[in-house]
Amino acid sequence: MAPGTDMLAVALGANLGDPAAMLVAVRPLLAELLTPLAVSSVVAPSSRLRWSPLFRTAPVGGPPDQPDYLNAVALLEGVRPDPDPLALLLELQELERRFGRERRERWGPRLLDLDLLWCGEHVCRQGELELPHPRLAERAFVLAPLAAIDPALVPPLPDQLPRCCGDRLADLLTAGGEPPPERLAPRPGWPE
């Protein structure tokens, strides 16, 4: 099995309103959505869902003068081999809508952003679903939370050499372009 192919990862972000409150509020609903996708075993599926700390990050792309984002990642280990990534994407988008997300401009400010980074072994490029996420290895706001969960984690990127998140993040930050993400202290509702 290739690295990361028995896992599913979702990136969370917000930069409007109260981003910390938004991410704390969506966390239990996202856990409720993701944990049934884990293979049943002696270990409870909820223990297979790991959360990164929150990070403050500068906006990348989009209109100028946006507020900073808060970002995190949820990583589900031991994913069933049969999840439907398109159905999951639609459920993530429904969660965004429930929290007031309106899609107005690409990379614009948002109340909530939930991106499916990868889903088991699924590889697809159709419509708005691209798996693994096409810019996963280019975004410090995704790599920093993944590396905080496990710096040795190797995301499944079929068109690239297998490299761990920690090394990818170090290379990206050395190259410049984005300010380094700032890891935030734990808070009520987000203990990591």
Side-chain angles (χ1 to χ4, degrees), residues 55-175:
F55 285 82
R56 183 177 320 285
T57 63
V60 176
D65 301 324
Q66 290 188 60
D68 285 347
Y69 278 82
L70 288 190
N71 293 100
V73 168
L75 181 70
L76 181 66
E77 299 174 288
V79 174
R80 294 188 332 242
D82 64 344
D84 180 347
L86 184 55
L88 179 55
L89 175 69
L90 294 174
E91 290 181 87
L92 292 172
Q93 290 174 342
E94 178 56 30
L95 264 180
E96 289 176 338
R97 277 189 291 282
R98 284 175 55 191
F99 281 83
R101 166 92 188 257
E102 295 177 7
R103 294 178 181 272
R104 293 195 174 144
E105 61 185 315
R106 186 173 189 196
W107 299 332
R110 57 202 67 178
L111 288 166
L112 179 64
D113 187 30
L114 301 172
D115 285 331
L116 185 57
L117 300 175
W118 74 85
C119 183
E121 296 182 338
H122 292 278
V123 175
C124 65
R125 303 277 184 262
Q126 57 180 339
E128 59 185 281
L129 179 61
E130 293 188 56
L131 291 176
H133 193 285
R135 290 167 297 285
L136 161 63
E138 304 166 7
R139 301 295 197 231
F141 63 82
V142 171
L143 291 172
L146 285 169
I149 292 173
D150 180 358
L153 175 68
V154 178
L157 298 168
D159 299 335
Q160 299 180 26
L161 292 174
R163 295 193 58 231
C164 67
C165 290
D167 289 347
R168 288 182 183 279
L169 178 62
D171 290 349
L172 193 61
L173 294 178
T174 300

